Every structure is written in structure tokens, then in C-alpha cells.
Amino acid sequence: MTANLVNILMGGVFHAAILFLVAAGLQVVFGVQKIFNLACGSFYALGAYTGVSAVGYFTAHGGPPALFIIPLALGGLAVGLVGVVVERGLLRFVYDRDETFQLLLTFALVLMLEDLIRMTWGTAPVSTGGLYLNYGQARILGATVPVYNLIVIAASLAIALGIGWLLSRTVFGRIIRASADNREMAEALGVDMRWVYVRVFTLGTMLGTLGGALVIPATAAMSEMGIELIVEAFAVVVIGGLGSMRGAFVGALVVGVLRSVAISVYPELEMLLIYLIVIAVLIWRPRGLFGAAAA
Amino acid sequence: MTSSRREFLKVAGGAAAAGVVGFPAVARGQAKPGVPSDPVKIGILAIRAGIAAPVGTAGLRGTEWWAERVNKSGGILGRQVQLIVEEESNPKDTVERYRKLILQDKVEVVIGGISTGVTLALGPVAEEMDTPWLSWDGTTQKGVEETMPNPKWAFKSVDNEVEAIVAGTLTPKYFKGVQTIAGINNDYSYGHDCWETYQAVLKKMGMNVKPVLELFPKLGVTDFTSHIAAIQQAKPDLLMSSFWSGDATIIMKQAAAVGLFKNMKGVFTTAGGVHDSLKKEFTPEGLLLGYNTMYFDDPKGSPLLKQFVREYKAKYNEYPAYESDHAYFNIESYKAAVEKAYAATGKWPSKAEVVKALEGIEVESLSGRRSWRQDHIQMCNFYQGITTHKNNYDFVTINPIEVVSTKTAMKPAGSKLLDWINGWKV
């Protein structure tokens, strides 16, 4: 009984950990740049594929399999630099345009990145083979939990704390919050918005690519894997409140754990339950649970 | 066009036919008498994105391999083959591309189609367009029943549920004593149909099993940790899944991480479609695994299969999936039908004559002989067996290999699936 409960909870929290990283990327970009980045799911997929390649390169060159998580995370972070290219090359042209343009542009990015992935890695799913099982299993209250899942959960939690610290305790964080609050005022006070936007967007991209890289040992990379996640990330954002980091954290936990509970208790409700909550939040608290506080 | 030129072509064609064996190069581009000399255009519909992309790609590669070989040895009756490839995507767009292939590109035949949703829409259109359509993998079934019982132009793949039926008949043999079962299948027609059929067959085979859990995750989900938790909670004796593509790899890995199959039997009707991704590290021995066909390591495989697998692996650095075989059979059967009709009339056949020649035709495909049943359904063999680590690869293969023909595992023309199963004398 306890073992089952642990299994269900751990399944949900693992899912939430990944969901949080993608949703956090979405939030930080929206909070500052007011752009709803549909491509956050594609960055997740890009990170996943890059992670597979990085680990493949590492093990092929004699890297000890036990350390695979290092090239995995580095690969995921490095490919996040694509955010610089996307922001400077595309997004900066649409900041003052209608929201529809912004949505169309980021949707175009989704399609382009999917094609890019197919051209680079092919159509067949790719994976890191059995490395996932390298770290073994832990027994928690009678349940068997893959240690790797615990590592991902811990990493996600550490990143959440890190972002919290970044936003509240550092100069850069203060600038981000100021820009999110009032862009004109921040600019008038001498903040170089171009510099802020590049960094914020790259940070958002890196959260997504890192999320993709971290999850990949436990699953397999498929070119359309981002699409499914973006839908869930929407739900997270609506529940948590658009632009709020705390919202992304709580929203991801709500979605992850409730989905897991639904699958065990009444599987037909797997996706429906999440949308029911989304609808309820939209009716009773349209700004989401933490919607009032930006970024 | 003068008669002397025609005479010349006739002579040249005859010479070419005579020279095929000794000098294949001479045969190139020299049509037989009564056969146009321009290339014959064949339209191909292939999925190249999404979950079905790996099988779509395998089908296309099998087709291209065929075309290269056939063109090298003189084409069809001396006519070179030109493939015109279009993307299979959603039903609406695919129907438009289908029309384009026929109206604009003027192809003689359209081959391809994988998704059930797309082929349901394509079927009626194919009937209107007066051009043969040979489907790789798509049926025109809604649920488990055929929506087009008497097609004139459409030729369809084996029924969706055959792999579930084969697995259902083999389950009592390998997994005696199973009392409770759970199913995890994708939330689309294929997943639901396989689960329903598998249960019906088990019941008919005299296995008194109780379903304790049925899961239908959406397509595209890449994290089944929570689903596996639900399966652990339900504690079935056996888990059945029609997962394929990346899903099969993912669930196998996530199941291994919690030791799911330590105390549970597993039946994977379709996972063999991505057999080389089922690594030994996380795929246990003792599962019932369906390869459908293209069993690449079949010791009894034909020289044709062995050559195909060897060249495929060399070119793409992966092993072919079953769709290569479906696709190879389709296009090879078209060639055979054209040649059969030509033998009767001495002319390049009309589209309607090709259809007539296709009915009942049997040809050598990669995995052995395959045929078109009179009601335009593909007949072939299915390969299933118990996973083993005893091979030279880093992934599992099956041993023993059970070969089951659609002659016994597919409902006969005109019958209803569940009525047919319920009428079995076991």
C-alpha cells in the first residue's frame, strides 16, 4: 500500500520536475519579454537530442559510463546558446509587433526546429541505451525507485532554488524584475534592454534544453516530443499564473502529481482532470494561483 | 511517329529482352513492343514526421531499393520506373496530395499510406479517381470492421488486429496459468482495437483471465513512469501492449528501472517494429514479442532478404523495419501485375487491367511469398516469439520464431471480426 503510494507520488514528481524546467523557461521569457514562446517545447526536444549525442560522444571516447550525467548536462546547457541566435536573429524584430506575429513566429520556430532535428538526427527515435539503469535503484518505503529519477528531481529542485536566488538576491535578478514590472522605467534608468533580452531569452532556452537533456536517459528522443510537453506546460502556466516562477513550480507539481494519481485511480481522467483544473482556475482565479506577482 | 520507327523500337525491345540475362545494361530504357518508352510514374505516399516516421522511412527506403534494382535490370517491361514521393500527413492534406499525384503528375498507381485515420479518408477518394491504390499499412477499418468491403481500386494492408490475434493465440502456449491481465496501448484506433481483440482471443482460447487495468496514454507521451506505477499497483500476471516506435523503447526502459517484469509476463504485439532499439540492457528475456515481419536474423531467410538487410545496414547504419517488406511487396506486386496483363494482351495494361491482374497475385517479397486476396487484402506471414539475449547483437531477438500466416490469423473476406473469433472451434 505505502509502496504503491510512493510509486505514484514519485512518478508524478519526476514528471513535474521536467515540466517545471520547461514551464520555467516559458515563464521567465514571458515575464520580461512578454512573448509567449511556443518553441519552448522544441528547445526541450533539441536538448534531448543533443544530450544523446553528447553522451554518445563521451562514451565512445572512453568516458566512464558512471559519469555520463556530466556531458549530458553540459550538452543540454551548451545547446541552449541557440537562444542567443533566435533572440538576435528573429525575436528582436517582433517585440513591438502584434501578439499574433509573435505567436506565429514562435510557431514557425517549432516547425523549423522539428525539421532541423529530423535533418540532423533522422526520423527514428534515439536514446542513450541502458545508461539509465547505471545508477541502480533505491528502496523507499518498500517501493523501487530508479536513482536516476531522484537525481533529476534533485537537479530540478536545485535549479528552482537557484532561479529563486538569482531573481531575488542578485543585481541581474533585480534588473529582470524591474524590466518585467516596467520596461520604459528600467530603460530610463539606464538598463540596456537588448542585453537583458538576450540573457533572459537564453536563460529561458537553457532551462528547456537542460530539461530535455536530463529526461532523455529515462526515455527516448522523438522529433515531436516537444509538442506534447508544450500542451502540459500551458496547463502549468495557467494554473500557476502567467509569468510567475513560483506559479511554474506549484503548477508543475499539481499537474504532475494529479496526472499520476488519475492514472492509478481512474485512467480515463489522465488528461481531462488537468483541463478540468485549468478551467476551474480560469473561472475562479483567472490570473492563476500566483498570477499577481510578475516574474 | 512513323511505322519504321515503331518497327525499330520493336526490334530494339526484342533484343533487349533477349539480352536481359547476359547484359543487363543493354536492357536499360528499351521498352518491349506495345510498351511506351517513357518512364512509368509511380506515386508514393510516405510519412516522414511524427511517431510513424521510422516506419514511413523504412517503407520508402524499401521502395527505393526495389526501384534501383528494377531500373538496373531494365525496368518494368523495359520501362524505367520513376518514383514521385509525397508526404503523408493529416487526412485532408494527404487526400489533396493523392489527387495531385494522379491529376497533375499522372502516375499509373499510388502506393503507400500508413495511418488508419488517413487511409479511412483515402479509401473513398481512391475509388473515385479510377487509379489503383496499394496501401503499405493502412486499412480502411473503423474500429475492427471494414468500411469498404468491396473496393474496386483500393488494395489494403493486413487487418490492424492481426498481431494482437497472433499474440492471443500464442499466449496460452507460453504463459499458461495467467489469471489477471493489464493493457497499455496508445489512445488511437490501433491501440484500442488491439487490446479489445487480444482479450477476445484469450477468452476464446479458453484462458479465463480478468482485465485489472487498461491504460490508453496519448500519442507522443514520453514519460510512462506514472503508468508503470499504476500497473505495479494493479499487479496483473501479464501486461499486454501494442506500443511501437519510440514508445516501445521507452516503456521497456522505464519498466526495467523498477523491475516490472521480474514477476510479470509481458506481451508486446508490435514492439518488434523497432527491434534494434530494444537493447539487452533493459529488455528482459522471456517476453512475447511480435516482429510482424522482416525478421532480419531469420536463419531461414531468403537470399533476397539477406541481401536487403545487408545493404540497408551498410547504407543507413540501422536495421530495416517491417514496413520495408510491406512496401517492397506492394510495388513488386504492381510490376508482376503489369507483366501478367501484358502477357495476355501484348500491350501496356490499362489501370483497370492492372487491378484485375493484381487480384489473387502472389509474388516473392523480402520475407517470403505474399499475395493479394480476391477482396484486395494483403496476405503475409507474421513472426512472433520469445525474447532472448543469446545472439551477437546488443539487442534482443526472438527464439523460437513462430510463423503465423494471415490465412489463419485474419478474418476471412466479408466476416465480422469478433463474430469470426467467437466462431472459432478451439
XYZ file of all heavy atoms in Angstrom, chain A residues 4 7-8 11-12 14-15 44 114 118 123-125 127-133 137 144 146 149 216-220 222-225 228 256 259-260 263-264 267-268 270-271 275, chain B residues 48-51 53-54 57 87 213-227 229-230 232-233 235 245-247 249-250 253-254 256-259 274 279 281-282 318:
666
model
N 2.887 1.426 -3.142
C 2.120 1.942 -4.273
C 2.032 3.456 -4.235
O 2.173 4.130 -5.244
C 0.712 1.354 -4.290
C 0.729 -0.091 -4.757
O 1.593 -0.462 -5.539
N -0.200 -0.880 -4.274
N 5.242 4.906 -5.268
C 5.400 4.793 -6.719
C 4.622 5.877 -7.448
O 5.120 6.517 -8.370
C 4.900 3.428 -7.198
C 5.939 2.342 -6.976
O 7.129 2.632 -6.980
N 5.482 1.128 -6.766
N 3.380 6.054 -7.048
C 2.523 7.026 -7.721
C 3.072 8.438 -7.513
O 3.186 9.223 -8.452
C 1.076 6.909 -7.191
C 0.487 5.555 -7.590
C 0.211 8.041 -7.721
C -0.774 5.180 -6.849
N 6.374 8.955 -9.428
C 6.073 9.105 -10.858
C 5.623 10.524 -11.150
O 6.076 11.159 -12.106
N 4.746 11.024 -10.308
C 4.224 12.370 -10.502
C 5.280 13.437 -10.309
O 5.374 14.384 -11.099
N 8.520 13.113 -10.594
C 9.500 13.033 -11.682
C 8.993 13.803 -12.901
O 9.706 14.602 -13.509
C 9.765 11.572 -12.039
C 10.682 11.383 -13.222
C 12.015 11.748 -13.140
C 10.220 10.835 -14.408
C 12.869 11.583 -14.229
C 11.069 10.667 -15.498
C 12.391 11.039 -15.401
N 7.739 13.562 -13.234
C 7.136 14.264 -14.367
C 7.124 15.772 -14.102
O 7.419 16.575 -14.983
C 5.716 13.738 -14.587
C 5.141 14.103 -15.909
N 5.586 13.555 -17.084
C 4.167 14.983 -16.260
C 4.912 14.067 -18.094
N 4.043 14.940 -17.625
N 13.217 21.965 -25.663
C 13.266 20.748 -24.848
C 13.711 19.552 -25.709
O 14.621 18.800 -25.333
C 11.880 20.548 -24.248
C 11.569 19.210 -23.646
C 12.047 18.871 -22.380
C 10.757 18.302 -24.311
C 11.722 17.652 -21.822
C 10.425 17.086 -23.753
C 10.909 16.758 -22.514
O 10.587 15.548 -21.958
N 11.773 21.308 -35.597
C 11.427 19.898 -35.799
C 12.133 19.377 -37.051
O 12.657 18.260 -37.071
C 9.909 19.736 -35.904
C 9.480 18.289 -35.661
C 7.978 18.087 -35.724
O 7.233 18.970 -35.237
O 7.554 17.053 -36.260
N 15.099 16.530 -37.488
C 14.991 15.392 -38.399
C 16.178 15.332 -39.350
O 16.673 14.268 -39.697
C 13.700 15.479 -39.204
C 12.574 14.780 -38.509
C 11.437 14.594 -39.460
N 10.610 15.784 -39.548
C 9.798 16.037 -40.563
N 9.723 15.197 -41.568
N 9.060 17.111 -40.550
N 14.840 10.237 -38.454
C 13.453 10.124 -38.005
C 13.261 9.086 -36.906
O 12.299 9.145 -36.166
C 12.562 9.725 -39.186
O 13.153 8.583 -39.810
C 12.448 10.843 -40.188
N 14.171 8.136 -36.835
C 13.996 7.073 -35.841
C 14.281 7.631 -34.442
O 15.130 8.507 -34.284
C 14.930 5.915 -36.152
N 13.574 7.143 -33.437
C 13.837 7.606 -32.073
C 15.278 7.291 -31.678
O 15.803 6.255 -32.069
C 12.862 6.782 -31.221
C 11.882 6.210 -32.155
C 12.534 6.120 -33.491
N 18.178 7.107 -28.371
C 18.229 7.035 -26.914
C 19.641 6.725 -26.457
O 20.513 6.404 -27.255
C 17.251 5.984 -26.383
O 17.831 4.707 -26.468
N 19.824 6.819 -25.149
C 21.144 6.555 -24.601
C 21.267 5.105 -24.147
O 22.050 4.796 -23.261
C 21.431 7.470 -23.399
O 20.349 7.296 -22.470
C 21.509 8.918 -23.791
N 20.479 4.236 -24.753
C 20.550 2.818 -24.403
C 20.213 2.582 -22.942
O 19.283 3.183 -22.407
N 20.989 1.746 -22.291
C 20.647 1.358 -20.928
C 21.341 2.161 -19.835
O 21.314 1.771 -18.664
N 21.958 3.303 -20.196
C 22.686 4.081 -19.186
C 21.804 4.469 -18.000
O 22.273 4.630 -16.876
C 23.252 5.365 -19.816
C 24.502 5.187 -20.688
C 24.934 6.518 -21.254
C 25.624 4.571 -19.874
N 20.522 4.623 -18.297
C 19.539 4.997 -17.289
C 19.641 4.110 -16.047
O 19.449 4.566 -14.919
C 18.163 4.877 -17.948
C 16.964 5.137 -17.098
C 16.912 6.223 -16.236
C 15.842 4.304 -17.188
C 15.768 6.476 -15.491
C 14.705 4.555 -16.453
C 14.671 5.635 -15.598
O 13.543 5.879 -14.869
N 19.949 2.835 -16.290
C 19.934 1.878 -15.177
C 21.263 1.848 -14.424
O 21.417 1.127 -13.449
C 19.625 0.478 -15.703
C 18.371 0.406 -16.588
C 18.194 -0.981 -17.160
C 17.157 0.793 -15.755
N 18.892 1.232 -8.284
C 17.590 1.571 -7.719
C 17.698 1.801 -6.230
O 18.547 1.218 -5.574
C 16.573 0.433 -7.970
C 16.098 0.350 -9.396
C 16.705 -0.817 -10.144
O 17.652 -1.449 -9.684
N 16.170 -1.114 -11.323
N 10.440 0.491 -5.309
C 11.700 0.574 -6.048
C 11.683 1.839 -6.900
O 10.817 2.013 -7.735
C 11.845 -0.645 -6.979
O 11.616 -1.811 -6.199
C 13.215 -0.696 -7.593
N 14.068 4.296 -9.417
C 15.353 4.446 -10.099
C 16.107 5.654 -9.528
O 15.526 6.741 -9.395
C 14.957 4.710 -11.556
C 13.530 4.309 -11.668
C 12.925 4.457 -10.317
N 16.001 8.895 -11.463
C 14.825 9.769 -11.301
C 15.034 10.726 -10.130
O 14.668 11.899 -10.194
C 13.569 8.930 -11.053
C 13.118 8.199 -12.295
O 13.882 8.070 -13.256
N 11.888 7.720 -12.294
N 16.295 12.590 -20.925
C 16.466 11.648 -22.027
C 16.980 10.264 -21.633
O 16.543 9.262 -22.216
C 17.292 12.278 -23.168
C 16.876 11.643 -24.495
C 18.773 12.157 -22.993
C 15.420 11.778 -24.787
N 17.864 10.117 -20.649
C 18.264 8.742 -20.305
C 17.069 7.874 -19.906
O 17.065 6.672 -20.156
C 19.214 8.945 -19.117
C 19.772 10.309 -19.334
C 18.619 11.111 -19.896
N 16.027 8.506 -19.334
C 14.879 7.731 -18.881
C 13.895 7.453 -20.003
O 12.914 6.744 -19.809
C 14.170 8.477 -17.749
N 14.111 8.017 -21.166
C 13.110 7.848 -22.219
C 13.831 7.754 -23.566
O 14.950 7.269 -23.632
C 12.073 9.011 -22.133
O 11.284 9.022 -23.302
C 12.716 10.363 -21.973
N 13.186 8.152 -24.649
C 13.839 8.168 -25.957
C 13.440 9.458 -26.648
O 12.343 9.969 -26.411
C 13.407 6.961 -26.785
N 12.194 11.742 -29.611
C 11.448 11.684 -30.864
C 11.221 13.120 -31.313
O 11.057 14.010 -30.483
C 10.120 10.979 -30.645
C 10.275 9.560 -30.141
S 8.724 8.663 -30.078
C 8.117 9.109 -28.461
N 11.211 13.331 -32.614
C 11.232 14.722 -33.102
C 10.020 15.518 -32.619
O 10.097 16.719 -32.479
C 11.327 14.744 -34.622
O 10.230 14.092 -35.198
N 8.911 14.858 -32.354
C 7.718 15.616 -31.975
C 7.505 15.648 -30.457
O 6.462 16.046 -29.977
C 6.489 15.043 -32.675
C 5.950 13.730 -32.115
C 6.778 12.521 -32.495
O 7.829 12.679 -33.156
O 6.399 11.411 -32.112
N 8.531 15.229 -29.701
C 8.344 15.096 -28.255
C 8.003 16.429 -27.577
O 7.395 16.452 -26.510
C 9.575 14.472 -27.617
C 10.822 15.329 -27.701
S 12.303 14.431 -27.179
C 12.041 14.294 -25.417
N 3.893 17.550 -27.265
C 3.083 17.035 -26.163
C 3.368 17.829 -24.884
O 2.470 18.180 -24.127
C 3.415 15.553 -25.957
C 2.767 14.910 -24.777
C 1.247 14.938 -24.867
O 0.707 15.001 -25.992
O 0.616 14.917 -23.811
N 1.765 17.337 -12.444
C 2.472 16.062 -12.404
C 1.834 15.074 -11.453
O 1.557 13.933 -11.817
N -1.878 14.082 -12.371
C -1.891 13.182 -13.529
C -1.559 11.762 -13.068
O -2.218 10.797 -13.444
C -0.858 13.676 -14.547
C -0.603 12.755 -15.721
C 0.392 13.400 -16.676
N 0.852 12.486 -17.710
C 1.900 11.674 -17.599
N 2.608 11.663 -16.475
N 2.255 10.884 -18.586
N -0.543 11.675 -12.228
C -0.119 10.369 -11.747
C -1.217 9.689 -10.927
O -1.467 8.495 -11.075
C 1.145 10.532 -10.913
O 1.768 9.304 -10.719
N -4.000 8.479 -13.225
C -3.661 7.272 -13.990
C -3.876 6.021 -13.139
O -4.341 4.996 -13.624
C -2.207 7.347 -14.493
C -2.094 8.397 -15.596
C -1.739 6.002 -15.010
C -0.666 8.719 -15.993
N -3.585 6.124 -11.860
C -3.758 4.948 -10.998
C -5.200 4.753 -10.537
O -5.660 3.635 -10.388
C -2.861 5.067 -9.765
O -1.564 4.654 -10.090
N -7.912 5.949 -14.885
C -7.053 6.327 -16.005
C -7.731 7.167 -17.092
O -7.076 7.925 -17.784
C -6.592 4.986 -16.574
C -7.010 3.943 -15.646
C -7.932 4.503 -14.631
N -9.050 6.999 -17.237
C -9.743 7.772 -18.273
C -9.569 9.264 -18.051
O -9.706 10.070 -18.957
C -11.240 7.433 -18.299
C -11.572 6.079 -18.916
C -11.390 4.928 -17.939
O -10.878 5.169 -16.819
O -11.736 3.784 -18.302
N -6.870 10.846 -17.151
C -5.469 11.273 -17.218
C -5.274 12.716 -17.680
O -4.663 13.526 -16.988
C -4.685 10.327 -18.131
C -3.252 10.768 -18.343
C -2.471 9.841 -19.293
O -2.922 8.721 -19.567
O -1.399 10.262 -19.738
N -5.774 13.049 -18.855
C -5.594 14.401 -19.346
C -6.758 15.297 -18.933
O -6.603 16.476 -18.660
C -5.466 14.405 -20.878
C -4.111 13.984 -21.388
S -2.709 14.747 -20.537
C -2.651 16.350 -21.333
N -7.257 19.428 -17.437
C -8.005 20.509 -18.081
C -9.164 20.985 -17.206
O -9.511 22.159 -17.223
C -8.500 20.073 -19.464
C -7.352 19.860 -20.418
C -7.163 18.649 -21.052
C -6.423 20.872 -20.631
C -6.087 18.453 -21.895
C -5.342 20.685 -21.469
C -5.178 19.471 -22.106
O -4.107 19.275 -22.925
N 6.866 10.997 -43.051
C 8.264 11.223 -42.696
C 8.417 12.046 -41.424
O 9.504 12.483 -41.083
C 8.998 11.866 -43.868
C 9.296 10.818 -44.944
C 10.074 11.374 -46.100
N 9.222 12.151 -46.978
C 9.624 12.641 -48.151
N 10.849 12.438 -48.548
N 8.814 13.331 -48.913
N 7.293 12.292 -40.739
C 7.372 13.027 -39.471
C 6.468 12.352 -38.450
O 5.541 11.641 -38.810
C 6.932 14.469 -39.674
N 6.766 12.591 -37.191
C 5.901 12.091 -36.127
C 6.205 10.658 -35.753
O 7.222 10.090 -36.149
N 5.269 10.079 -34.999
C 5.522 8.760 -34.420
C 5.739 7.704 -35.489
O 6.516 6.777 -35.317
C 4.371 8.356 -33.468
C 4.636 6.975 -32.879
C 3.029 8.390 -34.161
C 3.589 6.473 -31.941
N 7.138 8.111 -38.363
C 8.239 8.446 -39.270
C 9.227 7.285 -39.481
O 9.636 7.039 -40.610
C 8.971 9.690 -38.776
N 9.616 6.577 -38.418
C 10.559 5.480 -38.651
C 10.012 4.425 -39.613
O 10.725 3.985 -40.516
C 10.770 4.879 -37.265
C 10.373 5.950 -36.316
C 9.334 6.777 -36.997
N 9.763 5.904 -43.159
C 11.087 5.959 -43.761
C 11.516 4.567 -44.229
O 12.050 4.407 -45.325
C 12.094 6.501 -42.732
O 11.584 7.744 -42.242
C 13.444 6.740 -43.352
N 4.290 13.486 -49.206
C 4.241 13.296 -47.753
C 2.842 12.833 -47.332
O 1.839 13.384 -47.788
C 4.556 14.644 -47.100
C 4.773 14.604 -45.633
C 6.249 14.480 -45.290
O 7.087 14.531 -46.219
O 6.550 14.327 -44.102
N -6.649 -3.684 -15.392
C -6.291 -2.285 -15.657
C -6.157 -2.085 -17.156
O -5.577 -2.911 -17.856
C -4.951 -1.956 -14.979
C -4.380 -0.550 -15.188
C -5.205 0.480 -14.433
C -2.914 -0.488 -14.736
N -6.725 -0.994 -17.658
C -6.435 -0.650 -19.055
C -6.025 0.803 -19.153
O -6.718 1.690 -18.674
C -7.603 -0.973 -19.986
C -8.985 -0.733 -19.439
C -10.079 -1.113 -20.436
O -9.916 -2.133 -21.138
O -11.071 -0.383 -20.511
N -4.858 1.026 -19.728
C -4.317 2.382 -19.847
C -4.215 2.751 -21.321
O -3.801 1.944 -22.144
C -2.926 2.447 -19.213
C -2.858 2.170 -17.710
C -1.411 2.033 -17.264
C -3.543 3.279 -16.931
N -4.609 3.982 -21.626
C -4.509 4.468 -23.010
C -3.829 5.823 -23.044
O -4.465 6.842 -23.279
C -5.904 4.555 -23.646
C -6.551 3.235 -23.888
C -7.555 2.776 -23.042
C -6.156 2.442 -24.952
C -8.162 1.543 -23.262
C -6.749 1.207 -25.172
C -7.750 0.760 -24.322
N -2.512 5.858 -22.801
C -1.830 7.164 -22.869
C -1.899 7.738 -24.287
O -1.956 7.000 -25.268
C -0.388 6.829 -22.492
C -0.257 5.367 -22.636
C -1.602 4.763 -22.489
N -1.924 9.072 -24.323
C -1.981 9.760 -25.613
C -0.706 9.520 -26.408
O 0.361 9.331 -25.849
C -2.123 11.270 -25.367
C -3.551 11.738 -25.433
C -3.641 13.195 -25.048
C -2.655 14.037 -25.815
N -2.863 15.462 -25.686
N -0.830 9.587 -27.723
C 0.352 9.508 -28.583
C 1.279 10.668 -28.272
O 0.823 11.787 -28.071
C -0.070 9.621 -30.045
C -0.461 8.350 -30.768
C -0.859 8.677 -32.189
C 0.670 7.350 -30.759
N 2.572 10.402 -28.231
C 3.520 11.489 -28.014
C 3.973 11.609 -26.569
O 4.899 12.341 -26.275
N 3.307 10.899 -25.653
C 3.756 10.908 -24.260
C 5.090 10.173 -24.184
O 5.242 9.098 -24.760
C 2.711 10.208 -23.359
C 3.257 9.986 -21.968
C 1.428 11.022 -23.306
N 6.080 10.772 -23.508
C 7.383 10.103 -23.451
C 7.775 9.736 -22.022
O 8.906 9.371 -21.765
C 8.493 10.996 -24.044
O 8.407 12.268 -23.422
C 8.350 11.143 -25.535
N 6.830 9.872 -21.095
C 7.121 9.514 -19.715
C 5.996 8.626 -19.192
O 4.886 9.091 -18.975
C 7.251 10.787 -18.868
C 7.330 10.483 -17.380
O 7.659 9.326 -17.042
O 7.043 11.379 -16.571
N 6.295 7.349 -19.043
C 5.276 6.408 -18.582
C 5.488 6.012 -17.125
O 4.938 5.015 -16.670
C 5.275 5.152 -19.466
C 4.998 5.435 -20.915
C 5.969 5.240 -21.881
C 3.757 5.923 -21.318
C 5.717 5.522 -23.214
C 3.496 6.206 -22.647
C 4.476 6.009 -23.595
N 6.302 6.780 -16.402
C 6.597 6.419 -15.010
C 5.310 6.251 -14.204
O 5.164 5.298 -13.441
C 7.455 7.534 -14.362
O 8.374 8.009 -15.331
C 8.206 7.016 -13.184
N 4.387 7.175 -14.390
C 3.137 7.106 -13.629
C 2.272 5.938 -14.074
O 1.575 5.320 -13.260
C 2.356 8.414 -13.787
O 3.117 9.492 -13.295
N 2.311 5.635 -15.370
C 1.541 4.485 -15.865
C 2.092 3.196 -15.258
O 1.337 2.299 -14.889
C 1.606 4.421 -17.386
C 1.035 5.639 -18.059
N 1.788 6.746 -18.340
C -0.212 5.930 -18.459
C 1.034 7.661 -18.908
N -0.195 7.199 -18.991
N 3.618 2.938 -12.456
C 3.190 2.896 -11.046
C 1.782 2.318 -10.937
O 1.488 1.516 -10.046
C 3.247 4.298 -10.445
N 0.924 2.708 -11.876
C -0.445 2.183 -11.849
C -0.450 0.683 -12.115
O -1.224 -0.067 -11.508
C -1.305 2.908 -12.888
N 2.016 -1.393 -11.427
C 2.538 -2.045 -10.219
C 1.445 -2.189 -9.171
O 1.360 -3.182 -8.459
C 3.690 -1.230 -9.634
C 4.973 -1.351 -10.431
C 6.033 -0.417 -9.899
O 5.836 0.800 -9.885
N 7.150 -0.970 -9.466
N 0.620 -1.165 -9.095
C -0.455 -1.192 -8.103
C -1.481 -2.265 -8.444
O -1.972 -2.975 -7.583
C -1.120 0.176 -8.043
C -2.096 0.308 -6.902
C -2.946 1.563 -7.024
O -3.049 2.157 -8.085
N -3.550 1.971 -5.938
N -0.964 -4.966 -10.132
C -0.346 -6.308 -10.035
C -0.946 -7.363 -10.966
O -1.326 -8.449 -10.513
C -0.455 -6.833 -8.602
C 0.474 -6.170 -7.626
C 0.555 -7.042 -6.361
C 1.417 -6.418 -5.320
N 0.904 -5.124 -4.814
N 7.370 2.020 -32.213
C 8.182 3.224 -32.373
C 8.894 3.523 -31.051
O 9.259 2.601 -30.328
C 7.312 4.395 -32.811
O 8.130 5.475 -33.229
N 9.112 4.784 -30.734
C 9.848 5.126 -29.527
C 9.156 4.668 -28.254
O 9.805 4.380 -27.244
N 7.827 4.589 -28.291
C 7.082 4.213 -27.090
C 7.508 2.858 -26.537
O 7.580 2.667 -25.329
C 5.582 4.161 -27.398
C 5.044 5.524 -27.754
O 5.666 6.524 -27.352
O 4.016 5.597 -28.434
N 10.408 1.388 -26.812
C 11.711 1.511 -26.152
C 11.553 2.150 -24.778
O 12.141 1.705 -23.791
C 12.631 2.420 -26.992
O 12.412 2.137 -28.364
C 14.065 2.219 -26.634
N 10.760 3.208 -24.743
C 10.628 3.964 -23.503
C 10.007 3.113 -22.397
O 10.514 3.049 -21.285
C 9.786 5.230 -23.733
C 10.509 6.170 -24.709
C 9.515 5.934 -22.417
C 9.655 7.315 -25.193
N 12.345 0.489 -21.056
C 13.391 1.044 -20.207
C 12.837 1.426 -18.833
O 13.421 1.113 -17.796
C 13.939 2.287 -20.908
C 15.388 2.547 -20.662
C 15.724 3.932 -21.128
C 16.229 3.961 -22.537
N 16.813 5.290 -22.843
N 11.706 2.120 -18.843
C 11.149 2.578 -17.572
C 10.617 1.402 -16.755
O 10.623 1.448 -15.523
C 10.070 3.642 -17.835
C 10.704 4.899 -18.441
C 9.714 5.987 -18.796
O 8.511 5.753 -18.874
N 10.214 7.193 -19.039
N 12.035 -1.620 -16.859
C 13.238 -2.287 -16.344
C 13.760 -1.556 -15.111
O 14.258 -2.179 -14.173
C 14.314 -2.329 -17.428
N 13.638 -0.226 -15.102
C 14.188 0.563 -13.997
C 13.516 0.242 -12.668
O 14.098 0.458 -11.607
C 14.043 2.053 -14.308
N 12.285 -0.269 -12.716
C 11.624 -0.647 -11.458
C 11.424 -2.159 -11.378
O 10.696 -2.656 -10.523
C 10.271 0.084 -11.283
C 10.496 1.574 -11.131
C 9.332 -0.196 -12.436
N 12.053 -2.877 -12.296
C 11.976 -4.344 -12.259
C 10.582 -4.896 -12.492
O 10.207 -5.914 -11.910
N 10.554 -1.888 -33.918
C 11.774 -1.118 -33.631
C 12.778 -2.015 -32.903
O 13.413 -1.622 -31.943
C 11.480 0.137 -32.775
C 10.797 1.193 -33.611
C 10.616 -0.201 -31.566
N 17.359 -2.790 -26.491
C 18.679 -3.261 -26.062
C 18.553 -4.315 -24.959
O 17.633 -4.274 -24.141
C 19.508 -2.082 -25.530
C 19.604 -0.906 -26.487
C 20.417 -1.227 -27.727
C 20.546 0.010 -28.622
N 20.824 -0.358 -30.029
N 20.262 -4.541 -22.379
C 20.427 -3.960 -21.042
C 19.093 -3.760 -20.332
O 19.016 -3.829 -19.119
C 21.107 -2.588 -21.161
C 22.527 -2.631 -21.610
C 22.967 -1.280 -22.159
O 22.451 -0.883 -23.232
O 23.802 -0.625 -21.528
N 18.064 -3.425 -21.118
C 16.796 -3.145 -20.431
C 15.626 -3.969 -20.948
O 14.508 -3.811 -20.468
C 16.463 -1.642 -20.486
C 16.447 -1.052 -21.874
C 15.312 -1.150 -22.656
C 17.562 -0.404 -22.375
C 15.292 -0.605 -23.930
C 17.549 0.146 -23.647
C 16.409 0.048 -24.432
N 21.382 1.190 -39.758
C 20.366 0.627 -38.861
C 19.712 -0.553 -39.576
O 19.933 -0.746 -40.763
C 19.340 1.691 -38.455
C 18.653 2.383 -39.611
C 17.816 3.590 -39.168
O 18.259 4.348 -38.300
O 16.724 3.760 -39.717
